Amino acid sequence: MKGGHEWWKYVYDEFYDCVICPEYQPLKYSTTNRDGYREYKSDPKKCANCPTRELCTHSKDCGKTVQRHIWKDYEELADDARYTPACQELYRKRKETIERVFADAKEKHAMRYTQYRGLTQVTNWVKLKFAAMNLKKLATWRWNDQHHLLIFHTFFCEYAKNPVAA
């Protein structure tokens, strides 16, 4: 509600599966709606005498409903992991790896625009493009591995013939 309590003042209690309001009253689980939100409702008798009710609700029955998505726990886990040092290091490498792939697809493989219409056709076209990019990357890796082996083999043969000259 605009002008009311901030969203972070409503705290979810995982143990009791309830939401605690800023006045330390529990909002108990009621139902899960079709959009995937769990609804927590307050006891109207307790909210009728609440000193900060104007900041919570303007409903006639003095009830407050708070929604929490069913995947919110996983979102919080991801947020917690995102700020660990290991994940921060991985995030720094993102621009060199993940973002580079999409930039190459856009610039080198004509993926700025599509010639197809419909989700199925565009999805198949994108899968084919990325498969081609992966095969190209695999061929490059294999070529570089063989090239390094060839150089090593040539150097080793020369060294075996005359160790002083090498």
Side-chain angles (χ1 to χ4, degrees):
M1 188 174 101
K2 289 186 179 179
H5 289 299
E6 291 84 4
W7 63 268
W8 46 266
K9 288 187 177 178
Y10 293 90
V11 179
Y12 176 69
D13 186 355
E14 187 177 354
F15 184 76
Y16 292 107
D17 189 28
C18 67
V19 174
I20 309 295
C21 80
E23 293 295 322
Y24 306 106
Q25 296 299 323
L27 283 74
K28 296 188 184 254
Y29 171 73
S30 168
T31 185
T32 302
N33 64 21
R34 291 176 187 246
D35 296 326
Y37 286 92
R38 295 172 59 91
E39 293 182 358
Y40 297 89
K41 294 185 179 181
S42 67
D43 182 10
K45 295 173 191 166
K46 292 181 182 176
C47 288
N49 300 324
C50 181
T52 62
R53 188 182 67 167
E54 299 81 27
L55 297 174
C56 261
T57 183
H58 293 300
S59 67
K60 293 178 183 176
D61 67 344
C62 300
K64 173 71 175 176
T65 302
V66 175
Q67 294 183 343
R68 186 173 196 275
H69 200 275
I70 56 174
W71 294 339
K72 186 70 174 172
D73 295 333
Y74 300 111
E75 183 182 327
E76 289 172 356
L77 282 173
D79 283 342
D80 291 342
R82 185 175 59 175
Y83 295 111
T84 61
C87 285
Q88 286 181 342
E89 183 63 33
L90 280 175
Y91 194 76
R92 282 189 207 106
K93 292 181 180 178
R94 180 184 171 94
K95 65 179 178 278
E96 301 166 4
T97 55
I98 306 292
E99 299 296 334
R100 183 77 251 156
V101 169
F102 289 112
D104 286 345
K106 185 176 169 184
E107 294 297 321
K108 298 178 183 173
H109 298 279
M111 289 187 71
R112 188 177 294 267
Y113 304 105
T114 180
Q115 302 96 346
Y116 300 99
R117 288 183 179 237
L119 183 61
T120 306
Q121 288 182 328
V122 172
T123 302
N124 290 337
W125 179 69
V126 168
K127 286 178 183 177
L128 186 63
K129 288 286 187 171
F130 279 112
M133 289 174 64
N134 286 338
L135 286 173
K136 182 178 170 185
K137 189 183 293 186
L138 178 66
T140 304
W141 288 346
R142 297 288 297 265
W143 174 263
N144 288 338
D145 285 345
Q146 289 176 358
H147 186 67
H148 291 306
L149 286 174
L150 181 64
I151 291 172
F152 177 75
H153 180 68
T154 306
F155 175 76
F156 185 73
C157 288
E158 289 297 321
Y159 182 77
K161 290 178 187 172
N162 189 359
V164 178

